[in-house]
């Protein structure tokens, strides 16, 4: 009889209360997060430390972008295309490193226009129609103009108009 009673009673095992542990952990995290939020919101805002600017007596003020840029008149240059003549209408500007170098560029503007026309007309349309070709053209123009001027440097070449027909 004892054997029959053991066989008919289901075996009860103690399972860890996983759900209870999950709920306790979730409540603890919520309380901790709420406490952290309250603590942070009660803190006074950080005070900005007074910044003292070091001003040198001999330092000249930074020149504005407009004071350092010289725009050239538009160019229309023929380039070799696929069997028929192609034309590029190009407007560009040179960003110089200082207003003094901009003045020197303006003094040599005829040379700069000449070398720009010669460089662009020596290119094929396939050389300058994609982004990479235009970037290489900008670098080449910057190097050639820097060779013409003796004071300062061209920091960048800016295409303000680039039309191919």
């Amino acid at each position: 009889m004892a054997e029959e009673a053991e066989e008919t009673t289901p075996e009860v095992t103690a399972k860890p209360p996983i759900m209870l542990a999950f709920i306790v952990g979730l409540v603890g995290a919520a309380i901790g997060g709420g406490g952290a939020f309250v603590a942070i919101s009660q803190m006074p805002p950080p005070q900005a430390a007074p910044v003292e600017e070091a001003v040198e007596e001999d330092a000249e003020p930074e020149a504005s972008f407009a004071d350092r840029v010289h725009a050239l008149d538009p160019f229309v240059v023929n380039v070799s295309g696929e069997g028929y003549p192609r034309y590029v209408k190009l407007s560009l500007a040179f960003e110089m490193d200082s207003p003094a170098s901009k003045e020197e560029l303006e003094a040599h503007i005829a040379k700069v226009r000449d070398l720009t026309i010669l460089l662009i007309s020596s290119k094929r349309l396939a050389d300058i129609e994609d982004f990479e070709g235009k970037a290489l053209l900008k670098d080449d123009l910057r190097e050639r103009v820097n060779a013409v001027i003796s004071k300062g440097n061209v920091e960048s070449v800016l295409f303000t108009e680039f039309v191919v027909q």
Side-chain angles (χ1 to χ4, degrees), residues 39-93:
I40 290 174
S41 64
Q42 297 294 328
M43 292 176 58
Q47 297 292 327
V51 178
E52 296 180 20
E53 295 182 20
V55 178
E56 296 180 19
E57 294 177 17
D58 296 335
E60 64 182 58
E62 179 86 19
S64 71
F65 181 75
D67 293 337
R68 296 181 295 119
V69 174
H70 180 78
L72 298 180
D73 293 333
F75 296 92
V76 177
V77 181
N78 58 334
V79 293
S80 58
E82 300 83 29
Y84 55 93
R86 303 294 297 261
Y87 300 96
V88 174
K89 181 179 180 188
L90 176 71
S91 295
L92 57 97

